[in-house]
């Protein structure tokens, strides 16, 4: 099979499309013929050597496609079914991928739309779970990206009032998701308190923009704040840093479909690129100005 890989750290030019042995699913897992795979910031951080030291590395933790092989004990899907999910091996940006966790693709979504979901919705749900969001007022710092937009909609679905930070150009987008937008940067606390004079119940930091001290003050202490992006700030200020190895919110893969079909959740796909153009996709992702998800298309029909 063809797969995206790099054998040295560096810029997008180190990315290659190589031939690798076809994977096969173990017990409880499935293999899909990949039609689309999500691109995340972790992909280019790995490529630059900022996360893992191992070489070579294949890429991709989320994909959507058609089941073409099932492992022992799998009874909830069959060959030919459309599914999306997570690839624990981190090798989803390929023609074939083994999924460890998966769910049926909602009828209204195409493969690219489904591939945009797994990482964003799992990360967002995990952060909200760690905050115990079941209502109240939650401040989401960095609300217009894919994880932030997912967090806004999931929080609204849980009955929360959501205040979201974004650039002014994204305020209408946040309103469409059900959030009350404020601009980030200097004076954030004053703008939030204009909407919530007593502060907020919880705060989720998606942006990692150095706003933790303000979020702590607005939420009434570090115990009411979770960050998905600021590891050093979390350690400095006593805030929980959310990471997958502390337990994943995998249940959301099956719960997101009904929300989508009910018109209560949508995650925009910003751009799609053929797998062969992965270097171009990395450049766009690294610029950090995309609203929505970047998705790689594979074996497009």
């Amino acid at each position: 099979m063809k797969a995206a890989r790099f054998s040295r750290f560096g810029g997008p030019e180190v990315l290659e499309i190589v031939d690798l042995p076809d994977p096969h699913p173990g017990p409880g897992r499935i293999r899909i013929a990949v039609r689309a795979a999500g691109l995340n910031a972790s992909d280019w951080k790995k490529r630059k050597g900022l996360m893992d030291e191992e070489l070579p590395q294949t890429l991709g933790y989320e994909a959507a496609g058609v089941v073409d092989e099932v492992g022992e004990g799998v009874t909830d899907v069959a060959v030919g079914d459309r599914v999306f999910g997570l690839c624990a091996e981190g090798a989803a940006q390929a023609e074939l991928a083994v999924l460890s966790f998966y769910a049926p693709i909602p009828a209204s979504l195409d493969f690219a739309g489904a591939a945009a979901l797994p990482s964003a919705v799992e990360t967002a749900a995990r952060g909200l779970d760690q905050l115990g969001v079941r209502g109240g007022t939650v401040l989401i710092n960095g609300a217009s990206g894919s994880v932030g937009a997912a967090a806004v909609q999931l929080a609204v679905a849980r009955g929360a009032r959501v205040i979201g930070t974004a650039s002014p150009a994204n305020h209408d987008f946040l309103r469409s998701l059900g959030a009350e937008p404020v601009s980030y940067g200097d004076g954030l606390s004053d703008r939030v308190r204009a909407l919530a004079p007593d502060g907020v119940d919880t705060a989720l930091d998606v942006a990692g923009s150095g706003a933790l001290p303000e979020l702590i003050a607005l939420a009434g202490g570090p115990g009411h704040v979770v960050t998905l992006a600021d590891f050093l700030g979390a350690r400095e200020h006593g805030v929980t840093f959310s990471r997958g190895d502390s337990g994943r919110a995998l249940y959301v893969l099956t719960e997101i479909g009904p929300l989508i079909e009910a018109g209560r959740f949508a995650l925009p796909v910003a751009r799609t690129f053929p797998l062969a153009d992965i270097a171009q996709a990395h450049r766009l992702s690294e610029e950090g100005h995309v609203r929505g998800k970047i998705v790689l298309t594979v074996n497009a029909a």
Side-chain angles (χ1 to χ4, degrees):
M1 69 171 185
K2 302 291 184 185
R5 176 176 255 201
F6 59 90
S7 299
R8 58 190 175 92
F9 298 120
E13 69 279 358
V14 305
L15 294 164
E16 301 177 293
I17 305 299
V18 301
D19 290 309
L20 294 177
D22 292 353
H24 296 282
R29 299 187 176 191
I30 63 172
R31 189 178 78 178
I32 63 170
V34 177
R35 295 292 181 264
L39 183 72
N40 295 289
S42 61
D43 292 320
W44 57 260
K45 289 178 181 178
K46 287 185 174 188
R47 187 204 75 224
K48 295 176 76 170
L50 301 177
M51 293 182 63
D52 300 323
E53 297 180 357
E54 180 183 352
L55 287 173
Q57 288 188 44
T58 50
L59 289 170
Y61 282 98
E62 57 185 347
V66 178
V67 178
D68 79 339
E69 192 172 308
V70 299
E72 181 184 350
V74 172
T75 59
D76 53 351
V77 296
V79 171
D81 288 352
R82 298 190 333 143
V83 300
F84 71 104
L86 293 164
C87 173
E89 287 74 21
Q93 294 168 12
E95 292 179 322
L96 298 169
V98 171
L99 300 186
S100 309
F101 308 99
Y102 51 86
I105 295 176
S108 62
L109 286 190
D110 60 12
F111 289 115
L117 294 172
S119 291
V121 297
E122 188 282 322
T123 303
R126 173 169 23 102
L128 295 175
D129 287 349
Q130 289 171 314
L131 287 169
V133 173
R134 291 294 182 272
T137 300
V138 57
L139 172 61
I140 298 177
N141 181 47
S144 63
S146 56
V147 174
V152 167
Q153 295 173 91
L154 291 175
V156 169
R158 296 180 183 199
R161 176 194 182 191
V162 180
I163 299 172
T165 75
S167 64
N170 287 319
H171 283 191
D172 285 344
F173 172 62
L174 291 191
R175 290 188 188 96
S176 75
L177 302 181
E180 299 169 58
V182 295
S183 297
Y184 53 73
D186 292 342
L188 172 63
S189 292
D190 292 337
R191 289 188 291 276
V192 172
R193 289 192 185 277
L195 296 174
D198 296 328
V200 298
D201 297 300
T202 54
L204 181 64
D205 174 36
V206 182
S209 56
L212 287 182
E214 288 181 288
L215 301 186
I216 291 168
L218 287 164
H224 302 291
V225 180
V226 166
T227 180
L228 300 169
D230 190 352
F231 177 75
L232 294 179
R235 189 165 57 183
E236 178 182 355
H237 298 290
V239 166
T240 295
F241 179 79
S242 180
R243 52 195 308 161
D245 55 11
S246 61
R248 293 189 177 276
L250 297 167
Y251 67 88
V252 77
L253 295 183
T254 55
E255 290 186 0
I256 201 66
L259 285 175
I260 291 170
E261 296 304 273
R264 301 176 63 195
F265 188 96
L267 198 62
V269 174
R271 289 280 304 275
T272 62
F273 293 87
L275 182 63
D277 292 341
I278 188 172
Q280 186 180 350
H282 269 234
R283 291 186 183 96
L284 182 61
S285 176
E286 201 168 347
E287 288 173 3
H289 301 304
V290 176
R291 187 176 78 193
K293 192 81 172 199
I294 298 172
V295 173
L296 301 166
T297 57
V298 188
N299 294 324

